[in-house]
Amino acid sequence: MRTLAVAIAATGLALPVSAGNLIYQPTIPAFGGNPNNFDYFIGLAQIQNQHQPEQSGGGGGGAPAINFPPITIDLGGVGGGGQTPSDTPTE
């Protein structure tokens, strides 16, 4: 029995191995894939949309409100006609 296993292993190692070229085939129909895949991908998207959190009340809905402080640039008198910042004393 052991000699049979060794013979099978040796035969498997002695066979020539050949590889073919790898060819990219898109699956999504929008990128040139098979149009029959459209229903499958739509079904996946609908299943994923069912698991999104409800967007009521608290967070999760829309862009966050970000309030930046006003920007003042002091050019040191260069540039002319600029306004002086309100927190600096005037002479």
Side-chain angles (χ1 to χ4, degrees):
M1 188 69 163
R2 184 173 180 182
T3 57
L4 179 63
V6 172
I8 292 174
T11 306
L13 294 175
L15 294 176
V17 178
S18 64
N21 293 334
L22 295 176
I23 299 174
Y24 171 73
Q25 294 178 344
T27 57
I28 300 174
F31 298 121
N34 187 350
N36 293 331
N37 291 338
F38 182 77
D39 291 330
Y40 173 74
F41 286 113
I42 289 294
L44 284 180
Q46 290 172 346
I47 290 171
Q48 291 174 4
N49 287 338
Q50 291 174 357
H51 296 288
Q52 288 182 349
E54 295 293 327
Q55 297 182 6
S56 62
I66 301 174
N67 297 322
F68 293 104
I71 298 173
T72 56
I73 300 173
D74 184 16
L75 297 176
V78 179
Q83 297 177 348
T84 58
S86 61
D87 59 342
T88 58
T90 57
E91 298 179 304

